[in-house]
Amino acid sequence: MITTDEISRSFRGAYLLLRGRREGMREFDTSLSGFWRSFQVILLLIPFYLLLFSVERKLYLTQSAFSNETFPEGRFFVSGVLTIGIDWIAYPAILAILARPLGFARAYAPYIVAYNWSMIFVAIILLPPYLLYSFGVVSVDALLLLQLMCTIFVLRYQYTVARIATLTTMGVAIGLVAFNFVLSLVVELFIGHTIGI
């Protein structure tokens, strides 16, 4: 299990990478056990995902013919959990195959560790629009605009993590971020279509 000390150090590492500082990589445990433990970060993100589910449910209700009585709660929840779970492992799994051809096989584990821990700050960056919408402070249109702005910032952050952690070229780092973004969309659309949400 992740210790509080590891959480503290990794949080600091992710923050330093957010500021573009390479020394942030020294804060992560990039050993084999540290690599596998980094996937437990998803447990720390459960509160964020629950809020995300709540906001997406509200959006469905306002933009579809569903009512509180007819909303497919079970399918919606299963679709969300499957999307998050598959998305969480698909990118690292595919990169395990592509890392060598792309020239960062030795940096693969450190990159995935940094990427997993950086997801805490990704959640923090994306959180404000969801909270504002959840409390009725902003409209759907404002939410979408704020989401776009935050997503641009998140992509920039993920680029920084990829560039620093993999020690590769700008082109490869951009490609990793773009591939991850598209992969997440494909997983979400596939699961949603399969389950019928």
Side-chain angles (χ1 to χ4, degrees):
M1 288 294 292
I2 305 174
T3 65
T4 54
D5 179 62
E6 184 172 10
I7 292 173
S8 176
R9 288 187 293 104
S10 301
F11 188 86
R12 173 175 167 75
Y15 173 68
L16 289 173
L17 291 181
L18 181 66
R19 296 175 57 191
R21 294 173 57 179
R22 295 180 180 275
E23 61 266 32
M25 291 299 300
R26 294 200 294 265
E27 302 293 333
F28 301 116
D29 181 351
T30 58
S31 66
L32 182 60
S33 60
F35 170 82
W36 290 114
R37 280 197 310 276
S38 72
F39 287 92
Q40 297 176 24
V41 170
I42 195 171
L43 300 178
L44 303 177
L45 296 174
I46 287 176
F48 170 75
Y49 288 131
L50 290 176
L51 174 63
L52 179 60
F53 285 171
S54 174
V55 170
E56 288 187 345
R57 182 184 185 279
K58 185 177 178 181
L59 286 171
Y60 270 113
L61 288 173
T62 57
Q63 297 181 335
S64 70
F66 288 125
S67 66
N68 279 317
E69 292 73 26
T70 62
F71 188 78
E73 299 282 1
R75 282 185 292 148
F76 174 76
F77 182 75
V78 170
S79 174
V81 170
L82 284 177
T83 298
I84 292 168
I86 293 173
D87 191 44
W88 191 252
I89 62 174
Y91 182 61
I94 294 172
L95 278 198
I97 300 170
L98 297 179
R100 187 172 300 280
L102 291 175
F104 63 93
R106 295 183 65 180
Y108 166 75
Y111 170 52
I112 296 302
V113 170
Y115 172 82
N116 285 343
W117 281 103
S118 74
M119 293 304 291
I120 292 178
F121 276 96
V122 168
I124 291 172
I125 294 166
L126 294 175
L127 188 60
Y130 293 127
L131 285 175
L132 291 173
Y133 179 74
S134 182
F135 287 110
V137 177
V138 300
S139 65
V140 173
D141 291 338
L143 170 65
L144 296 177
L145 178 60
L146 290 171
Q147 278 183 315
L148 176 61
M149 295 169 60
C150 290
T151 298
I152 292 172
F153 192 81
V154 164
L155 293 176
R156 180 68 175 85
Y157 176 39
Q158 290 182 330
Y159 163 78
T160 302
V161 172
R163 186 74 192 277
I164 291 175
T166 63
L167 300 174
T168 54
T169 64
M170 180 186 298
V172 171
I174 292 174
L176 290 173
V177 173
F179 173 70
N180 186 28
F181 182 77
V182 172
L183 179 64
S184 294
L185 288 178
V186 169
V187 169
E188 182 176 0
L189 291 173
F190 175 76
I191 295 297
H193 177 74
T194 301
I195 295 181
I197 293 293

mmCIF file of all heavy atoms in Angstrom, residues 144-188:
data_model
loop_
_atom_site.group_PDB
_atom_site.id
_atom_site.type_symbol
_atom_site.label_atom_id
_atom_site.label_comp_id
_atom_site.label_asym_id
_atom_site.label_seq_id
_atom_site.Cartn_x
_atom_site.Cartn_y
_atom_site.Cartn_z
ATOM 1 N N LEU A 144 -18.793 24.241 -20.040
ATOM 2 C CA LEU A 144 -18.073 23.727 -21.200
ATOM 3 C C LEU A 144 -16.881 24.607 -21.544
ATOM 4 O O LEU A 144 -15.810 24.108 -21.909
ATOM 5 C CB LEU A 144 -19.025 23.621 -22.396
ATOM 6 C CG LEU A 144 -20.178 22.614 -22.231
ATOM 7 C CD1 LEU A 144 -21.097 22.654 -23.438
ATOM 8 C CD2 LEU A 144 -19.643 21.206 -22.005
ATOM 9 N N LEU A 145 -17.056 25.923 -21.418
ATOM 10 C CA LEU A 145 -15.948 26.841 -21.692
ATOM 11 C C LEU A 145 -14.829 26.661 -20.674
ATOM 12 O O LEU A 145 -13.640 26.595 -21.037
ATOM 13 C CB LEU A 145 -16.450 28.285 -21.685
ATOM 14 C CG LEU A 145 -15.381 29.372 -21.904
ATOM 15 C CD1 LEU A 145 -14.700 29.186 -23.253
ATOM 16 C CD2 LEU A 145 -16.004 30.757 -21.786
ATOM 17 N N LEU A 146 -15.204 26.575 -19.405
ATOM 18 C CA LEU A 146 -14.207 26.375 -18.358
ATOM 19 C C LEU A 146 -13.511 25.026 -18.515
ATOM 20 O O LEU A 146 -12.295 24.915 -18.290
ATOM 21 C CB LEU A 146 -14.872 26.465 -16.980
ATOM 22 C CG LEU A 146 -15.352 27.853 -16.559
ATOM 23 C CD1 LEU A 146 -16.182 27.767 -15.275
ATOM 24 C CD2 LEU A 146 -14.167 28.793 -16.359
ATOM 25 N N GLN A 147 -14.268 24.001 -18.894
ATOM 26 C CA GLN A 147 -13.674 22.686 -19.137
ATOM 27 C C GLN A 147 -12.631 22.753 -20.244
ATOM 28 O O GLN A 147 -11.559 22.150 -20.138
ATOM 29 C CB GLN A 147 -14.760 21.679 -19.523
ATOM 30 C CG GLN A 147 -15.516 21.076 -18.364
ATOM 31 C CD GLN A 147 -16.524 20.049 -18.836
ATOM 32 O OE1 GLN A 147 -17.255 20.264 -19.789
ATOM 33 N NE2 GLN A 147 -16.558 18.909 -18.164
ATOM 34 N N LEU A 148 -12.955 23.483 -21.307
ATOM 35 C CA LEU A 148 -12.014 23.618 -22.423
ATOM 36 C C LEU A 148 -10.726 24.283 -21.963
ATOM 37 O O LEU A 148 -9.630 23.818 -22.279
ATOM 38 C CB LEU A 148 -12.664 24.419 -23.546
ATOM 39 C CG LEU A 148 -11.759 24.737 -24.752
ATOM 40 C CD1 LEU A 148 -11.289 23.449 -25.419
ATOM 41 C CD2 LEU A 148 -12.499 25.630 -25.751
ATOM 42 N N MET A 149 -10.861 25.353 -21.197
ATOM 43 C CA MET A 149 -9.678 26.072 -20.700
ATOM 44 C C MET A 149 -8.842 25.179 -19.802
ATOM 45 O O MET A 149 -7.609 25.132 -19.925
ATOM 46 C CB MET A 149 -10.129 27.332 -19.961
ATOM 47 C CG MET A 149 -10.816 28.358 -20.838
ATOM 48 S SD MET A 149 -11.624 29.674 -19.885
ATOM 49 C CE MET A 149 -10.228 30.376 -19.014
ATOM 50 N N CYS A 150 -9.506 24.451 -18.905
ATOM 51 C CA CYS A 150 -8.779 23.572 -17.995
ATOM 52 C C CYS A 150 -8.133 22.404 -18.743
ATOM 53 O O CYS A 150 -7.023 21.978 -18.401
ATOM 54 C CB CYS A 150 -9.729 23.035 -16.917
ATOM 55 S SG CYS A 150 -10.263 24.280 -15.729
ATOM 56 N N THR A 151 -8.819 21.895 -19.760
ATOM 57 C CA THR A 151 -8.271 20.789 -20.546
ATOM 58 C C THR A 151 -7.004 21.206 -21.271
ATOM 59 O O THR A 151 -6.027 20.445 -21.336
ATOM 60 C CB THR A 151 -9.309 20.283 -21.566
ATOM 61 O OG1 THR A 151 -10.454 19.785 -20.856
ATOM 62 C CG2 THR A 151 -8.735 19.163 -22.432
ATOM 63 N N ILE A 152 -6.980 22.418 -21.801
ATOM 64 C CA ILE A 152 -5.779 22.938 -22.464
ATOM 65 C C ILE A 152 -4.619 22.984 -21.472
ATOM 66 O O ILE A 152 -3.488 22.591 -21.781
ATOM 67 C CB ILE A 152 -6.046 24.326 -23.066
ATOM 68 C CG1 ILE A 152 -7.023 24.204 -24.242
ATOM 69 C CG2 ILE A 152 -4.742 24.985 -23.519
ATOM 70 C CD1 ILE A 152 -7.512 25.533 -24.782
ATOM 71 N N PHE A 153 -4.906 23.433 -20.254
ATOM 72 C CA PHE A 153 -3.877 23.496 -19.215
ATOM 73 C C PHE A 153 -3.397 22.098 -18.843
ATOM 74 O O PHE A 153 -2.189 21.872 -18.648
ATOM 75 C CB PHE A 153 -4.421 24.220 -17.987
ATOM 76 C CG PHE A 153 -3.363 24.578 -16.974
ATOM 77 C CD1 PHE A 153 -2.571 25.690 -17.141
ATOM 78 C CD2 PHE A 153 -3.151 23.766 -15.869
ATOM 79 C CE1 PHE A 153 -1.583 26.015 -16.218
ATOM 80 C CE2 PHE A 153 -2.172 24.080 -14.939
ATOM 81 C CZ PHE A 153 -1.386 25.207 -15.110
ATOM 82 N N VAL A 154 -4.340 21.152 -18.755
ATOM 83 C CA VAL A 154 -3.996 19.764 -18.425
ATOM 84 C C VAL A 154 -3.104 19.162 -19.508
ATOM 85 O O VAL A 154 -2.109 18.485 -19.203
ATOM 86 C CB VAL A 154 -5.270 18.915 -18.255
ATOM 87 C CG1 VAL A 154 -4.944 17.417 -18.313
ATOM 88 C CG2 VAL A 154 -5.953 19.239 -16.940
ATOM 89 N N LEU A 155 -3.435 19.401 -20.767
ATOM 90 C CA LEU A 155 -2.624 18.871 -21.869
ATOM 91 C C LEU A 155 -1.211 19.449 -21.826
ATOM 92 O O LEU A 155 -0.239 18.735 -22.097
ATOM 93 C CB LEU A 155 -3.292 19.185 -23.211
ATOM 94 C CG LEU A 155 -4.625 18.464 -23.476
ATOM 95 C CD1 LEU A 155 -5.234 18.931 -24.787
ATOM 96 C CD2 LEU A 155 -4.439 16.954 -23.488
ATOM 97 N N ARG A 156 -1.104 20.717 -21.474
ATOM 98 C CA ARG A 156 0.218 21.341 -21.347
ATOM 99 C C ARG A 156 1.002 20.686 -20.205
ATOM 100 O O ARG A 156 2.206 20.421 -20.340
ATOM 101 C CB ARG A 156 0.062 22.839 -21.082
ATOM 102 C CG ARG A 156 1.390 23.584 -20.937
ATOM 103 C CD ARG A 156 2.137 23.620 -22.256
ATOM 104 N NE ARG A 156 3.347 24.414 -22.190
ATOM 105 C CZ ARG A 156 4.538 23.972 -21.775
ATOM 106 N NH1 ARG A 156 4.667 22.714 -21.382
ATOM 107 N NH2 ARG A 156 5.586 24.771 -21.767
ATOM 108 N N TYR A 157 0.323 20.414 -19.116
ATOM 109 C CA TYR A 157 0.960 19.752 -17.978
ATOM 110 C C TYR A 157 1.402 18.344 -18.349
ATOM 111 O O TYR A 157 2.532 17.929 -18.040
ATOM 112 C CB TYR A 157 -0.026 19.717 -16.805
ATOM 113 C CG TYR A 157 0.453 18.989 -15.573
ATOM 114 C CD1 TYR A 157 1.768 19.074 -15.135
ATOM 115 C CD2 TYR A 157 -0.439 18.225 -14.824
ATOM 116 C CE1 TYR A 157 2.198 18.416 -13.987
ATOM 117 C CE2 TYR A 157 -0.025 17.563 -13.674
ATOM 118 C CZ TYR A 157 1.282 17.657 -13.257
ATOM 119 O OH TYR A 157 1.707 17.001 -12.121
ATOM 120 N N GLN A 158 0.548 17.598 -19.030
ATOM 121 C CA GLN A 158 0.893 16.238 -19.427
ATOM 122 C C GLN A 158 2.061 16.229 -20.413
ATOM 123 O O GLN A 158 2.880 15.310 -20.402
ATOM 124 C CB GLN A 158 -0.333 15.541 -20.015
ATOM 125 C CG GLN A 158 -1.399 15.233 -18.978
ATOM 126 C CD GLN A 158 -2.594 14.514 -19.544
ATOM 127 O OE1 GLN A 158 -2.942 14.684 -20.712
ATOM 128 N NE2 GLN A 158 -3.232 13.695 -18.729
ATOM 129 N N TYR A 159 2.125 17.253 -21.249
ATOM 130 C CA TYR A 159 3.271 17.374 -22.155
ATOM 131 C C TYR A 159 4.556 17.559 -21.346
ATOM 132 O O TYR A 159 5.589 16.934 -21.638
ATOM 133 C CB TYR A 159 3.073 18.546 -23.112
ATOM 134 C CG TYR A 159 4.354 18.973 -23.784
ATOM 135 C CD1 TYR A 159 4.878 18.248 -24.848
ATOM 136 C CD2 TYR A 159 5.065 20.080 -23.306
ATOM 137 C CE1 TYR A 159 6.075 18.628 -25.436
ATOM 138 C CE2 TYR A 159 6.262 20.458 -23.904
ATOM 139 C CZ TYR A 159 6.766 19.732 -24.958
ATOM 140 O OH TYR A 159 7.951 20.099 -25.535
ATOM 141 N N THR A 160 4.500 18.417 -20.335
ATOM 142 C CA THR A 160 5.680 18.669 -19.502
ATOM 143 C C THR A 160 6.130 17.396 -18.808
ATOM 144 O O THR A 160 7.327 17.089 -18.765
ATOM 145 C CB THR A 160 5.362 19.756 -18.452
ATOM 146 O OG1 THR A 160 4.953 20.957 -19.116
ATOM 147 C CG2 THR A 160 6.585 20.056 -17.600
ATOM 148 N N VAL A 161 5.168 16.640 -18.270
ATOM 149 C CA VAL A 161 5.498 15.374 -17.606
ATOM 150 C C VAL A 161 6.149 14.414 -18.603
ATOM 151 O O VAL A 161 7.178 13.792 -18.299
ATOM 152 C CB VAL A 161 4.230 14.725 -16.997
ATOM 153 C CG1 VAL A 161 4.533 13.312 -16.480
ATOM 154 C CG2 VAL A 161 3.680 15.585 -15.876
ATOM 155 N N ALA A 162 5.560 14.292 -19.781
ATOM 156 C CA ALA A 162 6.105 13.381 -20.797
ATOM 157 C C ALA A 162 7.494 13.806 -21.229
ATOM 158 O O ALA A 162 8.398 12.971 -21.362
ATOM 159 C CB ALA A 162 5.167 13.333 -22.006
ATOM 160 N N ARG A 163 7.691 15.090 -21.456
ATOM 161 C CA ARG A 163 8.989 15.578 -21.943
ATOM 162 C C ARG A 163 10.089 15.371 -20.908
ATOM 163 O O ARG A 163 11.199 14.930 -21.226
ATOM 164 C CB ARG A 163 8.871 17.067 -22.295
ATOM 165 C CG ARG A 163 10.131 17.641 -22.961
ATOM 166 C CD ARG A 163 10.254 17.159 -24.386
ATOM 167 N NE ARG A 163 11.552 17.432 -24.957
ATOM 168 C CZ ARG A 163 11.912 18.596 -25.501
ATOM 169 N NH1 ARG A 163 11.051 19.599 -25.529
ATOM 170 N NH2 ARG A 163 13.109 18.756 -26.018
ATOM 171 N N ILE A 164 9.778 15.678 -19.651
ATOM 172 C CA ILE A 164 10.778 15.555 -18.597
ATOM 173 C C ILE A 164 11.038 14.094 -18.234
ATOM 174 O O ILE A 164 12.190 13.673 -18.093
ATOM 175 C CB ILE A 164 10.337 16.336 -17.334
ATOM 176 C CG1 ILE A 164 10.384 17.851 -17.610
ATOM 177 C CG2 ILE A 164 11.233 15.995 -16.140
ATOM 178 C CD1 ILE A 164 9.866 18.706 -16.478
ATOM 179 N N ALA A 165 9.983 13.319 -18.102
ATOM 180 C CA ALA A 165 10.128 11.939 -17.627
ATOM 181 C C ALA A 165 10.728 11.005 -18.669
ATOM 182 O O ALA A 165 11.493 10.095 -18.332
ATOM 183 C CB ALA A 165 8.778 11.399 -17.154
ATOM 184 N N THR A 166 10.388 11.188 -19.943
ATOM 185 C CA THR A 166 10.877 10.271 -20.979
ATOM 186 C C THR A 166 12.203 10.706 -21.572
ATOM 187 O O THR A 166 12.876 9.905 -22.232
ATOM 188 C CB THR A 166 9.853 10.139 -22.124
ATOM 189 O OG1 THR A 166 9.681 11.419 -22.753
ATOM 190 C CG2 THR A 166 8.523 9.634 -21.615
ATOM 191 N N LEU A 167 12.566 11.970 -21.371
ATOM 192 C CA LEU A 167 13.820 12.509 -21.928
ATOM 193 C C LEU A 167 13.860 12.364 -23.449
ATOM 194 O O LEU A 167 14.927 12.146 -24.034
ATOM 195 C CB LEU A 167 15.031 11.812 -21.299
ATOM 196 C CG LEU A 167 15.163 11.935 -19.784
ATOM 197 C CD1 LEU A 167 16.311 11.076 -19.274
ATOM 198 C CD2 LEU A 167 15.364 13.384 -19.376
ATOM 199 N N THR A 168 12.704 12.469 -24.078
ATOM 200 C CA THR A 168 12.634 12.345 -25.527
ATOM 201 C C THR A 168 12.440 13.716 -26.162
ATOM 202 O O THR A 168 12.508 14.749 -25.498
ATOM 203 C CB THR A 168 11.463 11.426 -25.944
ATOM 204 O OG1 THR A 168 10.259 11.907 -25.345
ATOM 205 C CG2 THR A 168 11.704 10.001 -25.513
ATOM 206 N N THR A 169 12.196 13.697 -27.447
ATOM 207 C CA THR A 169 12.036 14.942 -28.185
ATOM 208 C C THR A 169 10.660 15.559 -27.950
ATOM 209 O O THR A 169 9.745 14.921 -27.447
ATOM 210 C CB THR A 169 12.191 14.701 -29.697
ATOM 211 O OG1 THR A 169 11.121 13.834 -30.132
ATOM 212 C CG2 THR A 169 13.524 14.040 -30.002
ATOM 213 N N MET A 170 10.543 16.809 -28.360
ATOM 214 C CA MET A 170 9.273 17.510 -28.260
ATOM 215 C C MET A 170 8.196 16.778 -29.058
ATOM 216 O O MET A 170 7.054 16.649 -28.603
ATOM 217 C CB MET A 170 9.420 18.943 -28.784
ATOM 218 C CG MET A 170 8.138 19.760 -28.724
ATOM 219 S SD MET A 170 8.324 21.392 -29.506
ATOM 220 C CE MET A 170 9.598 22.100 -28.469
ATOM 221 N N GLY A 171 8.565 16.288 -30.241
ATOM 222 C CA GLY A 171 7.613 15.599 -31.098
ATOM 223 C C GLY A 171 7.051 14.346 -30.452
ATOM 224 O O GLY A 171 5.840 14.091 -30.521
ATOM 225 N N VAL A 172 7.917 13.550 -29.817
ATOM 226 C CA VAL A 172 7.460 12.327 -29.155
ATOM 227 C C VAL A 172 6.551 12.676 -27.978
ATOM 228 O O VAL A 172 5.506 12.050 -27.772
ATOM 229 C CB VAL A 172 8.652 11.481 -28.683
ATOM 230 C CG1 VAL A 172 8.172 10.325 -27.794
ATOM 231 C CG2 VAL A 172 9.434 10.938 -29.870
ATOM 232 N N ALA A 173 6.928 13.694 -27.209
ATOM 233 C CA ALA A 173 6.120 14.098 -26.049
ATOM 234 C C ALA A 173 4.742 14.571 -26.489
ATOM 235 O O ALA A 173 3.729 14.214 -25.883
ATOM 236 C CB ALA A 173 6.833 15.194 -25.266
ATOM 237 N N ILE A 174 4.691 15.369 -27.545
ATOM 238 C CA ILE A 174 3.404 15.826 -28.073
ATOM 239 C C ILE A 174 2.587 14.637 -28.558
ATOM 240 O O ILE A 174 1.379 14.549 -28.320
ATOM 241 C CB ILE A 174 3.606 16.844 -29.210
ATOM 242 C CG1 ILE A 174 4.189 18.146 -28.657
ATOM 243 C CG2 ILE A 174 2.299 17.117 -29.946
ATOM 244 C CD1 ILE A 174 4.564 19.159 -29.721
ATOM 245 N N GLY A 175 3.257 13.704 -29.238
ATOM 246 C CA GLY A 175 2.577 12.511 -29.730
ATOM 247 C C GLY A 175 1.989 11.680 -28.606
ATOM 248 O O GLY A 175 0.867 11.162 -28.727
ATOM 249 N N LEU A 176 2.715 11.551 -27.494
ATOM 250 C CA LEU A 176 2.207 10.790 -26.345
ATOM 251 C C LEU A 176 0.948 11.430 -25.774
ATOM 252 O O LEU A 176 -0.030 10.745 -25.467
ATOM 253 C CB LEU A 176 3.290 10.696 -25.265
ATOM 254 C CG LEU A 176 4.492 9.810 -25.581
ATOM 255 C CD1 LEU A 176 5.549 9.946 -24.492
ATOM 256 C CD2 LEU A 176 4.063 8.357 -25.736
ATOM 257 N N VAL A 177 0.989 12.747 -25.638
ATOM 258 C CA VAL A 177 -0.172 13.457 -25.082
ATOM 259 C C VAL A 177 -1.373 13.330 -26.015
ATOM 260 O O VAL A 177 -2.499 13.076 -25.570
ATOM 261 C CB VAL A 177 0.165 14.936 -24.834
ATOM 262 C CG1 VAL A 177 -1.076 15.714 -24.412
ATOM 263 C CG2 VAL A 177 1.256 15.062 -23.771
ATOM 264 N N ALA A 178 -1.130 13.500 -27.314
ATOM 265 C CA ALA A 178 -2.217 13.404 -28.290
ATOM 266 C C ALA A 178 -2.800 11.990 -28.314
ATOM 267 O O ALA A 178 -4.028 11.811 -28.348
ATOM 268 C CB ALA A 178 -1.716 13.789 -29.678
ATOM 269 N N PHE A 179 -1.923 10.995 -28.284
ATOM 270 C CA PHE A 179 -2.380 9.605 -28.301
ATOM 271 C C PHE A 179 -3.217 9.296 -27.061
ATOM 272 O O PHE A 179 -4.279 8.657 -27.146
ATOM 273 C CB PHE A 179 -1.188 8.656 -28.372
ATOM 274 C CG PHE A 179 -1.557 7.210 -28.223
ATOM 275 C CD1 PHE A 179 -2.250 6.546 -29.229
ATOM 276 C CD2 PHE A 179 -1.236 6.510 -27.072
ATOM 277 C CE1 PHE A 179 -2.608 5.219 -29.092
ATOM 278 C CE2 PHE A 179 -1.584 5.185 -26.922
ATOM 279 C CZ PHE A 179 -2.276 4.539 -27.941
ATOM 280 N N ASN A 180 -2.756 9.748 -25.903
ATOM 281 C CA ASN A 180 -3.485 9.514 -24.658
ATOM 282 C C ASN A 180 -4.862 10.175 -24.697
ATOM 283 O O ASN A 180 -5.858 9.588 -24.257
ATOM 284 C CB ASN A 180 -2.672 10.062 -23.481
ATOM 285 C CG ASN A 180 -3.290 9.721 -22.139
ATOM 286 O OD1 ASN A 180 -3.973 8.720 -21.992
ATOM 287 N ND2 ASN A 180 -3.047 10.568 -21.162
ATOM 288 N N PHE A 181 -4.925 11.382 -25.230
ATOM 289 C CA PHE A 181 -6.192 12.115 -25.323
ATOM 290 C C PHE A 181 -7.177 11.377 -26.221
ATOM 291 O O PHE A 181 -8.344 11.174 -25.859
ATOM 292 C CB PHE A 181 -5.929 13.522 -25.851
ATOM 293 C CG PHE A 181 -7.156 14.385 -25.941
ATOM 294 C CD1 PHE A 181 -7.702 14.953 -24.809
ATOM 295 C CD2 PHE A 181 -7.753 14.641 -27.163
ATOM 296 C CE1 PHE A 181 -8.840 15.749 -24.884
ATOM 297 C CE2 PHE A 181 -8.885 15.430 -27.259
ATOM 298 C CZ PHE A 181 -9.435 15.994 -26.109
ATOM 299 N N VAL A 182 -6.707 10.967 -27.389
ATOM 300 C CA VAL A 182 -7.573 10.252 -28.333
ATOM 301 C C VAL A 182 -7.989 8.899 -27.757
ATOM 302 O O VAL A 182 -9.152 8.487 -27.888
ATOM 303 C CB VAL A 182 -6.867 10.078 -29.693
ATOM 304 C CG1 VAL A 182 -7.676 9.166 -30.609
ATOM 305 C CG2 VAL A 182 -6.647 11.430 -30.348
ATOM 306 N N LEU A 183 -7.056 8.212 -27.130
ATOM 307 C CA LEU A 183 -7.360 6.908 -26.538
ATOM 308 C C LEU A 183 -8.466 7.025 -25.490
ATOM 309 O O LEU A 183 -9.388 6.202 -25.453
ATOM 310 C CB LEU A 183 -6.101 6.312 -25.903
ATOM 311 C CG LEU A 183 -6.260 4.951 -25.218
ATOM 312 C CD1 LEU A 183 -6.652 3.883 -26.230
ATOM 313 C CD2 LEU A 183 -4.956 4.558 -24.503
ATOM 314 N N SER A 184 -8.395 8.053 -24.654
ATOM 315 C CA SER A 184 -9.416 8.263 -23.634
ATOM 316 C C SER A 184 -10.787 8.494 -24.265
ATOM 317 O O SER A 184 -11.800 7.960 -23.792
ATOM 318 C CB SER A 184 -9.048 9.453 -22.735
ATOM 319 O OG SER A 184 -7.884 9.176 -21.989
ATOM 320 N N LEU A 185 -10.818 9.276 -25.341
ATOM 321 C CA LEU A 185 -12.081 9.529 -26.039
ATOM 322 C C LEU A 185 -12.643 8.247 -26.641
ATOM 323 O O LEU A 185 -13.849 7.977 -26.538
ATOM 324 C CB LEU A 185 -11.876 10.574 -27.141
ATOM 325 C CG LEU A 185 -11.645 12.010 -26.699
ATOM 326 C CD1 LEU A 185 -11.413 12.904 -27.919
ATOM 327 C CD2 LEU A 185 -12.819 12.534 -25.879
ATOM 328 N N VAL A 186 -11.769 7.451 -27.249
ATOM 329 C CA VAL A 186 -12.206 6.201 -27.878
ATOM 330 C C VAL A 186 -12.763 5.244 -26.824
ATOM 331 O O VAL A 186 -13.815 4.622 -27.032
ATOM 332 C CB VAL A 186 -11.042 5.544 -28.647
ATOM 333 C CG1 VAL A 186 -11.409 4.129 -29.075
ATOM 334 C CG2 VAL A 186 -10.669 6.383 -29.863
ATOM 335 N N VAL A 187 -12.064 5.124 -25.707
ATOM 336 C CA VAL A 187 -12.535 4.236 -24.632
ATOM 337 C C VAL A 187 -13.895 4.694 -24.128
ATOM 338 O O VAL A 187 -14.820 3.881 -23.964
ATOM 339 C CB VAL A 187 -11.516 4.215 -23.463
ATOM 340 C CG1 VAL A 187 -12.123 3.522 -22.243
ATOM 341 C CG2 VAL A 187 -10.239 3.509 -23.884
ATOM 342 N N GLU A 188 -14.052 5.999 -23.894
ATOM 343 C CA GLU A 188 -15.322 6.525 -23.387
ATOM 344 C C GLU A 188 -16.450 6.289 -24.372
ATOM 345 O O GLU A 188 -17.554 5.849 -23.985
ATOM 346 C CB GLU A 188 -15.186 8.020 -23.097
ATOM 347 C CG GLU A 188 -16.436 8.641 -22.515
ATOM 348 C CD GLU A 188 -16.260 10.096 -22.146
ATOM 349 O OE1 GLU A 188 -15.159 10.632 -22.345
ATOM 350 O OE2 GLU A 188 -17.231 10.710 -21.681
#
